[in-house]
Amino acid sequence: MNDFKAEPEDLRIAELAAVDRVLHSGWYVLGQEVQAFETEWAARCNISHAIGVGNGMDAIEIGLRALDIGVGDEVITTPMTAFATVLAVIRSGAIPVLADIDTDTALLDLQSVERCITSKTKAVLLVHLYGQVCNMESWLDLCETHGLALLEDCAQSHLAAWNNKVAGGFGRFGAYSFYPTKNLGAIGDAGAMVSNDIELIQRAAILRNYGQKERYYHSELGLNSRLDEIQAALLRVRLDRLEKFTQRRRQIAKIYFEKIANPKIQLLAQPLQTENHVYHLFVIRCAERERLTQHLRSSGIESFIHYPVPVHRQEPCAHLRFGPNGLPAAEQHATTCLSIPCHPQMSDADIAAVIEALNAFK
């Protein structure tokens, strides 16, 4: 599903030079590299501010706490996401409420979200799943109508956009993960929160650093979630390649859409706008997923399930409230979805091999 060893040698050399630069600086936490990356990432996203944190989950939790969304408050989100999305809501003290997904995209379904809204609802947490951003005007209208904060989990959507506006810039904040497998990945855990609200960012910066307004003076209870200097330096190097790598992902996806032609295999909807999908994952659906997985493995092709168990089926979340119509689309998607290789190091021959194997499945 990824091949980090096949990344360009000049990228590796630049990464080693970045690490060496940090080591020679003698400053390893919240220094010039973090400040530079925060500035560069905010600029690349065309968002006013960014702060580096330990990981994407912390970015969501810190954002919620900075908005004073906590005990007794409900946050509507999706059951089809990495568990970290919901865990961040729980850690903030708030209550996750799960709405169903759209069958064509696997993104949150707006009507299902609307059915979940109560007097306790304070926010809708969109997950730009697989790297796609859709229909943001509708989501902004919904949240404005009901007086809710729109929040964005951008862990899979680096540089994905809607009407030329990048993910993370629509709501009160966007939360990014830079886990190694992400489109912009560190060499370890890392994350960032982005926002156009300077006061929100300033409070988040306090929360990420033990709740300190200044060193050893704590205005509130925070946590230790600081992007370190080495990861920031590495991300700065990799940021220079992000656009090129993203274009390769889009090229691969375009070929898949054109050439995968097996009636046993369903593709998710093609993007409504060319810039709104960055293909962190390319996901197909198959009613005979286990047999297809074995078929691909026998052809030397790896696949992966994102995600086999929806959030409401996870043991710690069995008590969570969800929409009155249930979560049938999420349930169905979880039993049929399968991610196939789609990463920048794939050769044309690799792409052809995946297509050939999928089309040969009977």
Side-chain angles (χ1 to χ4, degrees):
M1 294 296 293
N2 293 282
D3 190 359
F4 297 124
K5 291 181 179 180
E7 289 184 334
E9 183 61 23
D10 61 333
L11 173 58
R12 199 177 316 278
I13 291 170
E15 289 174 332
L16 290 171
V19 172
D20 190 62
R21 183 173 70 239
V22 173
L23 295 178
H24 278 87
S25 77
W27 193 294
Y28 304 141
V29 178
L30 293 184
Q32 292 183 358
E33 296 290 345
V34 169
Q35 292 172 12
F37 174 71
E38 290 170 342
T39 299
E40 292 164 8
W41 182 239
R44 188 64 65 89
C45 295
N46 198 26
I47 296 172
S48 301
H49 311 284
I51 63 160
V53 297
N55 54 70
M57 184 183 77
D58 285 357
I60 298 173
E61 179 186 347
I62 289 169
L64 287 166
R65 291 180 59 181
L67 287 169
D68 290 317
I69 295 174
V71 177
D73 298 330
E74 293 183 345
V75 177
I76 301 173
T77 192
T78 174
M80 186 48 57
T81 183
F83 193 71
T85 303
V86 171
L87 182 56
V89 176
I90 294 170
R91 283 174 54 88
S92 75
I95 304 165
V97 175
L98 303 175
D100 209 2
I101 62 172
D102 173 72
T103 55
D104 291 335
T105 63
L107 299 174
L108 261 178
D109 177 76
L110 190 138
Q111 284 72 37
S112 181
V113 168
E114 196 157 24
R115 289 191 291 267
C116 291
I117 295 172
T118 71
S119 60
K120 295 181 180 180
T121 308
K122 293 296 186 291
V124 174
L125 176 54
L126 288 183
V127 177
H128 299 310
L129 193 70
Y130 307 148
Q132 56 190 325
V133 180
C134 278
N135 300 323
M136 294 308 297
E137 294 86 358
S138 298
W139 289 108
L140 289 165
D141 288 345
L142 174 77
C143 289
E144 183 178 1
T145 298
H146 294 277
L148 307 177
L150 179 65
L151 315 176
E152 299 175 72
D153 180 341
C154 309
Q156 299 183 359
S157 58
H158 306 73
L159 298 189
W162 180 259
N163 289 339
N164 297 310
K165 190 171 185 177
V166 174
F170 294 92
R172 297 297 306 278
F173 70 80
Y176 278 93
S177 167
F178 304 118
Y179 185 74
T181 60
K182 304 301 185 185
N183 290 29
L184 177 61
I187 316 299
D189 272 319
M193 176 184 156
V194 298
S195 179
N196 290 311
D197 184 337
I198 181 59
E199 293 183 1
L200 187 65
I201 285 289
Q202 288 172 339
R203 187 171 182 203
I206 292 169
L207 287 167
R208 73 171 173 183
N209 193 24
Y210 303 123
Q212 297 180 103
K213 273 193 172 179
E214 56 181 295
R215 195 166 187 175
Y216 302 133
Y217 291 85
H218 300 261
S219 58
E220 58 185 308
L221 297 176
L223 61 159
N224 178 7
S225 182
R226 303 172 298 203
L227 176 63
D228 71 65
E229 286 287 283
I230 287 179
Q231 295 298 350
L234 290 164
L235 284 167
R236 294 180 67 196
V237 172
R238 299 184 70 84
L239 182 55
D240 288 339
R241 307 296 181 99
L242 179 57
E243 187 61 43
K244 180 180 179 181
F245 284 176
T246 299
Q247 289 306 317
R248 181 56 174 166
R249 289 178 184 271
R250 286 175 172 152
Q251 290 170 1
I252 295 166
K254 183 175 184 292
I255 297 169
Y256 281 162
F257 276 118
E258 290 173 351
K259 297 189 175 181
I260 295 173
N262 186 330
K264 288 182 173 287
I265 294 170
Q266 290 181 296
L267 306 183
L268 295 183
Q270 293 195 55
L272 298 173
Q273 302 174 357
T274 55
E275 81 278 7
N276 89 318
H277 206 322
V278 294
Y279 296 100
H280 170 63
L281 298 169
F282 192 97
V283 176
I284 61 175
R285 290 175 295 194
C286 181
E288 301 176 72
R289 183 175 63 191
E290 181 57 34
R291 199 166 66 81
L292 175 59
T293 301
Q294 294 173 358
H295 167 77
L296 291 174
R297 188 180 300 121
S298 69
S299 300
I301 295 167
E302 188 176 11
S303 59
F304 204 79
I305 303 172
H306 299 89
Y307 300 93
V309 183
V311 169
H312 63 290
R313 297 296 184 189
Q314 302 287 352
E315 186 174 346
C317 296
H319 65 287
L320 294 183
R321 183 172 72 83
F322 46 82
N325 294 351
L327 304 170
E331 295 267 4
Q332 177 67 15
H333 188 79
T335 62
T336 59
C337 63
L338 187 68
S339 302
I340 59 175
C342 183
H343 62 83
Q345 283 66 56
M346 290 181 71
S347 67
D348 290 348
D350 293 333
I351 301 167
V354 173
I355 294 168
E356 182 180 1
L358 288 171
N359 288 340
F361 178 67
K362 296 179 180 179

